[in-house]
Amino acid sequence: MDANERPLLKIEGLQKSFGQIDVLKGISMTVRKGEVVSIIGPSGSGKTTLLRCVNFLETYEHGSIQIAGQEVGFRDSSNRQRRGETDLARMRAETGMVFQSFNLFPHLTAAQNVMLGLVKVRKKSKQEAREIAEHWLTRVGLDHRIDNLPSELSGGQQQRVGIARAVAMEPKILLLDEITSALDPELVNEVLDVVRQLTEEGMTMLMVTHEIAFARDASNRIVFMDDGKVSAEGPPKELMAQAGSNERLDAFLSRFRTSHLH
Amino acid sequence: MAAVLYALPFLLQGLLITLWVSALVVVFSLVIGVILGVGLVYGPRPVQWLVRLFSDCIRGIPILVLIFVVYYGSPPLGIAIDSFWAGVVALTLFKAAQVIEYARGAISSIPKGQMEAGKAIGLTFLQRLQSVIFPQAIRRFLPPWINGVTDAVKGSALISLLGVVDLMQSINEVIGRTYEAMPLYLLGAVIYFVINYSLSLTSRYVERRYAYIRD
Ligand SMILES: Nc1ncnc2c1ncn2[C@@H]1O[C@H](COP(=O)(O)OP(=O)(O)OP(=O)(O)O)[C@@H](O)[C@H]1O
Ligand SMILES: [Mg+2]
């Protein structure tokens, strides 16, 4: 297999439950380098849980998740021995994550939020980290907010800091979990614009989104999750076309069709 | 009165012992309490359970009883301990149990997303504590803890009961010789007050310095 053909992220037979509830019931999917994959699906279908498994914020009972051929949370896929703390931190640094609720560090300025991982994990000098932070904060349109605390920023600005914090680490893949759903409607676009720019620059992304129009325009592939399983997937046009033969997908998409009519 | 002035160097020695005991107790209990507090919040179940047990036991015993338990209980266990260190150990245990609770309260007030954001950028557990959790938790930890420091200074007077010549005991001994009870106890009260009042002032200053997060 050609190196470019090998998927960057490979999820196989992933099963996860919270107590008695089976949340992920055997998920398999891949994301290639440079690919943008959107996950859509009804509430409670396990989208967030799947994303959290990818950087091992959640552990899982069965299956395997590999990034660039390396098992994420376990030493190897066969014996499932959990990685040690340092090892796990090193693996997690390979993925960037942007949270629905931003999760910025409130005691640090925008620049310091971005610099923390660069200094502590990437071992950059303060000065170099500062330059990288300024670069990324400028890229997300916050050159005038570099030394502000999160509490001094709007939701949209906070989320753009969140994106800058994640991409500044140069992750192999960026995970985005409904990053605009906590925002006032008028702030959504400024954040989506930043994501769109990143997709155009070839950043590999796996994103959960309720912005169907955005998913259709910005992604190479869409995965429809339903009840802990991948129910349909394909390039945006193909997936939309499958709605005729997939009742659940049709029902899910129809909500967005009707909401457009209003 | 002259006798009291005569006794001043002796009282000063007692004061030094009081400050030394207080400092040891405050530092030891801070280290032990914070470590156990972290264990209580983030440790595996058995660790959580043990810390809980420790904290509940210590806090269920009057400090005076604890001091005698450590002093008289150590030799039979084969631990040679003099009255000074017995006092320090007992006061430290007592204080540590409080610090555990302050630390637990302060740490668990931090939203879960903070730890996760730290994980997501690849920080190790200790780095997350150092750079994400502690700097935020300290704001909630400091007010009760500094209050507790003044308690430690006042509480240290209890080791006079083991015969350690701290400020309290030195006053008692001078009174035993001079019978000038009133002026001497008054002097003692003033000294304890000055120590604790300056601690309170410091604490207010420190609290203001750490009030950087707008609620
Ligand atoms: N920590 C947890 N403990 C117990 N159950 C959980 C936990 N996290 C999620 N669940 C359950 O797992 C299921 C999937 O949740 P998940 O958050 O992954 O769904 P989702 O597809 O992201 O939904 P939404 O679109 O509402 O964000 C839900 O039934 C949820 O109640
Ligand atoms: Mg979700």
Side-chain angles (χ1 to χ4, degrees):
Chain A
M1 199 193 278
D2 179 352
N4 290 327
E5 284 295 306
R6 189 182 71 181
L8 180 63
L9 170 67
K10 186 170 172 203
I11 303 174
E12 265 183 340
L14 184 66
Q15 290 180 38
K16 155 96 192 154
S17 56
F18 288 108
Q20 300 293 334
I21 320 161
D22 294 330
V23 176
L24 302 178
K25 304 172 180 175
I27 302 266
S28 297
M29 69 162 75
T30 58
V31 179
R32 283 180 216 291
K33 192 169 185 302
E35 210 178 14
V36 177
V37 175
S38 292
I39 304 175
I40 60 172
S43 183
S45 55
K47 307 181 297 295
T48 296
T49 308
L50 172 64
L51 225 55
R52 290 167 59 83
C53 285
V54 173
N55 66 355
F56 217 67
L57 289 181
E58 301 283 358
T59 180
Y60 43 89
E61 289 84 45
H62 296 286
S64 139
I65 300 178
Q66 295 187 345
I67 291 177
Q70 274 198 300
E71 195 69 26
V72 175
F74 301 107
R75 295 234 162 85
D76 60 72
S77 36
S78 49
N79 73 4
R80 285 181 53 90
Q81 192 190 6
R82 198 187 155 103
R83 283 183 193 276
E85 183 58 30
T86 321
D87 213 16
L88 198 53
R90 185 179 56 78
M91 286 304 294
R92 280 187 179 127
E94 301 295 324
T95 58
M97 186 156 201
V98 184
F99 299 86
Q100 184 173 353
S101 49
F102 323 145
N103 294 351
L104 294 184
F105 305 124
H107 59 299
L108 301 179
T109 63
Q112 290 168 334
N113 264 274
V114 181
M115 289 165 65
L116 185 60
L118 294 170
V119 172
K120 296 275 175 185
V121 180
R122 295 286 184 239
K123 308 291 179 202
K124 309 258 187 217
S125 70
K126 277 250 165 67
Q127 195 197 338
E128 199 185 344
R130 170 86 196 183
E131 280 162 17
I132 297 172
E134 283 175 0
H135 167 78
W136 280 108
L137 288 169
T138 305
R139 285 285 315 276
V140 300
L142 292 175
D143 42 326
H144 57 305
R145 287 281 182 266
I146 284 175
D147 294 311
N148 284 82
L149 289 171
S151 57
E152 298 163 342
L153 303 177
S154 73
Q157 291 173 333
Q158 288 188 48
Q159 193 57 299
R160 285 185 279 152
V161 176
I163 295 172
R165 178 176 69 179
V167 291
M169 297 289 290
E170 298 183 0
K172 292 201 169 81
I173 182 169
L174 194 59
L175 309 171
L176 312 158
D177 186 10
E178 291 192 40
I179 62 167
T180 57
S181 62
L183 296 176
D184 293 334
E186 71 271 19
L187 301 178
V188 167
N189 277 328
E190 65 186 50
V191 172
L192 292 185
D193 284 345
V194 169
V195 177
R196 193 175 287 115
Q197 264 183 39
L198 289 171
T199 64
E200 282 160 12
E201 283 161 27
M203 178 61 113
T204 311
M205 291 192 208
L206 180 60
M207 62 178 162
V208 172
T209 182
H210 279 173
E211 303 281 339
I212 300 291
F214 181 73
R216 191 188 53 214
D217 298 342
S219 23
N220 304 104
R221 256 183 319 126
I222 299 182
V223 172
F224 173 61
M225 270 182 71
D226 185 41
D227 191 28
K229 287 179 293 237
V230 173
S231 168
E233 74 171 302
K237 277 206 185 109
E238 280 179 33
L239 183 99
M240 304 292 173
Q242 287 178 45
S245 57
N246 185 328
E247 232 173 85
R248 298 285 297 169
L249 177 60
D250 188 49
F252 179 76
L253 290 176
S254 69
R255 253 185 288 151
F256 293 93
R257 284 189 213 112
T258 49
S259 68
H260 273 291
L261 295 178
H262 288 292
Chain B
M1 223 33 209
V4 174
L5 281 178
Y6 230 58
L8 271 182
F10 182 62
L11 293 178
L12 197 68
Q13 251 178 9
L15 173 63
L16 286 179
I17 294 290
T18 287
L19 292 176
W20 180 226
V21 169
S22 305
L24 287 174
V25 168
V26 165
V27 170
F28 289 157
S29 64
L30 177 66
V31 174
I32 295 170
V34 168
I35 291 174
L36 294 185
V38 167
L40 184 58
V41 180
Y42 298 118
R45 278 288 159 73
V47 171
Q48 293 186 6
W49 193 80
L50 282 174
V51 175
R52 220 345 89 249
L53 186 74
F54 169 80
S55 165
D56 287 348
C57 285
I58 298 288
R59 287 183 311 145
I61 304 173
I63 173 78
L64 197 54
V65 177
L66 193 60
I67 287 176
F68 286 118
V69 165
V70 172
Y71 184 59
Y72 292 108
S74 300
L77 292 177
I79 305 164
I81 194 168
D82 64 17
S83 50
F84 177 86
W85 285 105
V88 170
V89 167
L91 289 167
T92 296
L93 291 177
F94 184 76
K95 198 89 228 127
Q98 291 176 346
V99 174
I100 289 172
E101 299 306 320
Y102 306 153
R104 186 197 54 75
I107 292 172
S108 35
S109 75
I110 313 283
K112 229 177 80 222
Q114 290 294 306
M115 209 49 160
E116 293 182 348
K119 283 180 184 172
I121 56 172
L123 298 178
T124 62
F125 178 68
L126 289 179
Q127 289 174 329
R128 295 197 297 273
L129 283 184
Q130 182 205 350
S131 303
V132 177
I133 303 300
F134 285 169
Q136 296 184 63
I138 194 164
R139 201 165 139 267
R140 253 174 191 256
F141 176 81
L142 274 180
W145 180 72
I146 297 191
N147 263 324
V149 171
T150 59
D151 281 347
V153 176
K154 288 183 274 181
S156 72
L158 288 170
I159 71 168
S160 62
L161 293 168
L162 296 179
V164 176
V165 188
D166 68 336
L167 178 59
M168 188 66 212
Q169 183 61 13
S170 63
I171 289 171
N172 284 334
E173 289 184 8
V174 174
I175 292 172
R177 275 183 271 136
T178 64
Y179 302 104
E180 300 255 27
M182 209 34 213
L184 276 160
Y185 279 132
L186 209 61
L187 179 65
V190 168
I191 295 175
Y192 278 113
F193 174 78
V194 167
I195 298 172
N196 284 327
Y197 190 65
S198 30
L199 283 172
S200 298
L201 288 183
T202 317
S203 81
R204 262 173 244 163
Y205 169 75
V206 174
E207 270 168 47
R208 249 179 284 128
R209 273 212 50 194
Y210 278 99
Y212 46 67
I213 303 169
R214 284 196 268 151
D215 287 306

